[in-house]
Amino acid sequence: MIDFLTSDFVGYVLMALLIIVLAFLAYFLLSSITHHIRVSRFFAQYRPSAGIVQRYDKTDDDFNVTMFPVSTGKSIQLMPRMTQALDQYYVLLECQCGGKRFRAAYEIPAEDYGQEQAGVSVQIKDHWSPVGYELL
């Protein structure tokens, strides 16, 4: 009788953990999608052509290791897979457009990184991708 209760209890705990993990995953995906839509709509409505450089940011190369299962006959082994995330460069600009003042963050290519000093006005290039904003 105790083995039966223990196995059911473990099954319930595992199902509860699975539901919690799936809920966190769904929340993360929905918040990422809504953030992307919000940023896209904002920059579609307000199209700044210039801004004052506040600062430059850079994320360094990063190696990610993920494990995936490989079946070898009757056993399953976890094999590592390494991927490299390339450097990403950002510029934070203070912009004014359509009566709104805001800070805009753009992902920029490496050749545009650090070209201007903070406090200098720059033209926003077509190949810069907006990634966020903050109303002032």
Side-chain angles (χ1 to χ4, degrees):
M1 181 75 173
I2 293 177
D3 289 336
F4 177 75
L5 291 176
T6 305
S7 64
D8 279 350
F9 178 72
V10 171
Y12 292 142
V13 168
L14 290 177
M15 287 298 283
L17 288 175
L18 179 64
I19 290 171
I20 291 170
V21 168
L22 289 176
F24 279 121
L25 178 64
Y27 172 76
F28 175 74
L29 288 175
L30 287 175
S31 65
S32 296
I33 290 169
T34 55
H35 173 75
H36 178 72
I37 290 171
R38 184 173 51 91
V39 168
S40 298
R41 284 185 179 174
F42 182 83
F43 282 100
Q45 183 176 2
Y46 302 102
R47 296 179 185 262
S49 59
I52 299 171
V53 175
Q54 299 295 306
R55 72 173 185 267
Y56 288 95
D57 289 329
K58 174 184 173 185
T59 59
D60 293 328
D61 282 340
D62 192 18
F63 288 97
N64 298 320
V65 178
T66 56
M67 304 295 277
F68 62 97
V70 174
S71 176
T72 57
K74 291 185 177 184
S75 67
I76 294 178
Q77 297 178 342
L78 293 176
M79 300 296 291
R81 178 188 306 165
M82 291 185 65
T83 56
Q84 180 181 10
L86 300 176
D87 285 345
Q88 293 178 325
Y89 301 92
Y90 302 95
V91 64
L92 182 65
L93 303 176
E94 187 172 322
C95 303
Q96 185 167 356
C97 185
K100 296 258 188 200
R101 281 188 58 226
F102 56 93
R103 286 193 183 102
Y106 289 91
E107 185 174 351
I108 59 174
E111 55 269 6
D112 292 338
Y113 180 77
Q115 283 187 345
E116 301 293 339
Q117 298 294 325
V120 175
S121 180
V122 295
Q123 294 293 320
I124 297 172
K125 300 179 181 175
D126 291 335
H127 58 275
W128 290 5
S129 302
V131 293
Y133 70 93
E134 176 186 7
L135 294 175
L136 299 175

